[in-house]
């Protein structure tokens, strides 16, 4: 494989990952929007039932319509949640196929349950902060010391030049002692 093919593969992989991130963000935003709409419909339903309660009346066609609209929002939430789960599972399968790691070196995210490599600080799938393992063997400490020589931007992940405080890719302040 020549250099051009490698670069093309890297660009395609980055493009695919970006597309997945955009899709996940779109789905999460959609879920939040549907939940807000569902809450609005439930509030309307509550107001109608409260009036019925106050007046001693039975369920009206308006209440039935609001219940049907709320059901539609609930269905959309379930569909989007299923799509998010499918994407998370596909990403986990891709990572497992691409970077098989011994079970003992993975840690489970407490928020979404995804497997992440030991030493990861944040979950690959949901971004939640992962608990840090304090007990490490000497070989792991040596590996960390080697990795500590290279620094990466906390914002975009680009490698930082030695002694550089700001990222040349995104301009983020990475401090001097990070």
């Amino acid at each position: 494989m020549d250099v051009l093919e490698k670069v093309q593969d890297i660009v395609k992989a980055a493009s695919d990952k970006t597309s997945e991130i955009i899709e996940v963000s779109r789905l999460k935003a959609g879920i939040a929007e549907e939940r807000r709409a569902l809450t609005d419909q439930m509030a309307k339903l509550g107001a109608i039932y409260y009036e019925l309660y106050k007046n001693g009346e039975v369920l009206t066609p308006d209440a039935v319509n609001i219940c049907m609209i709320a059901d539609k929002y609930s269905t959309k939430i379930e569909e989007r949640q299923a799509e998010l789960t499918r994407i998370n599972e596909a990403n986990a399968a891709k990572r497992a196929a691409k970077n098989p790691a011994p079970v003992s070196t993975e840690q489970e995210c407490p928020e979404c349950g995804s497997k992440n490599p030991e030493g990861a600080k944040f979950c690959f799938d949901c971004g939640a902060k992962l608990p840090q393992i304090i007990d490490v063997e000497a070989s792991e400490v040596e590996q960390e010391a080697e990795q500590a020589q290279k620094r990466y931007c906390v914002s975009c992940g680009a490698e930082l030049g030695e002694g550089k405080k700001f990222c040349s890719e995104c301009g983020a302040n990475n401090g001097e002692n990070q």
Side-chain angles (χ1 to χ4, degrees):
M1 181 181 277
D2 67 345
V3 173
L4 181 58
E5 288 175 342
K6 287 181 182 179
V7 169
Q8 288 173 336
D9 288 347
I10 291 170
V11 168
K12 180 170 179 0
S15 175
D16 290 347
K17 188 64 178 172
T18 300
S19 295
E20 287 177 17
I21 290 170
I22 290 170
E23 178 67 8
V24 166
S25 296
R26 184 189 67 77
L27 289 168
K28 286 181 179 181
I31 288 171
E33 183 180 322
E34 301 298 340
R35 282 194 172 132
R36 280 191 298 276
L38 177 59
T39 299
D40 290 344
Q41 293 302 314
M42 297 305 275
K44 288 179 184 177
L45 182 61
I48 289 172
Y49 271 104
Y50 183 71
E51 286 300 313
L52 289 174
Y53 170 76
K54 284 177 29 179
N55 298 330
E57 296 177 353
V58 295
L59 187 64
T60 66
D62 288 339
V64 172
N65 285 338
I66 291 172
C67 288
M68 291 171 65
I69 292 170
D71 283 343
K72 287 180 184 178
Y73 286 123
S74 293
T75 300
K76 286 181 182 180
I77 289 170
E78 291 171 359
E79 288 170 355
R80 290 181 183 201
Q81 193 66 51
E83 182 68 10
L84 264 178
T85 300
R86 185 196 64 75
I87 289 172
N88 285 339
E89 289 172 355
N91 286 339
K94 284 180 190 175
R95 277 195 312 279
K98 196 177 207 179
N99 301 318
V103 175
S104 64
T105 63
E106 291 183 335
Q107 59 181 338
E108 188 173 303
C109 173
E111 294 295 321
C112 71
S114 293
K115 298 288 185 194
N116 292 274
E118 185 176 312
K121 292 183 173 117
F122 295 91
C123 177
F124 284 131
D125 286 327
C126 71
K129 184 162 179 56
L130 297 173
Q132 295 301 301
I133 299 171
I134 297 171
D135 238 344
V136 292
E137 295 179 14
S139 63
E140 293 173 320
V141 172
E142 289 172 13
Q143 287 176 344
E144 287 179 18
E146 289 172 12
Q147 287 295 323
Q149 292 174 359
K150 287 187 178 182
R151 292 179 45 234
Y152 298 92
C153 176
V154 296
S155 180
C156 73
E159 187 172 343
L160 298 172
E162 188 175 328
K164 301 299 179 194
K165 185 176 180 181
F166 290 90
C167 177
S168 63
E169 293 294 317
C170 70
N173 183 348
N174 286 274
E176 294 177 26
N177 297 326
Q178 290 188 10

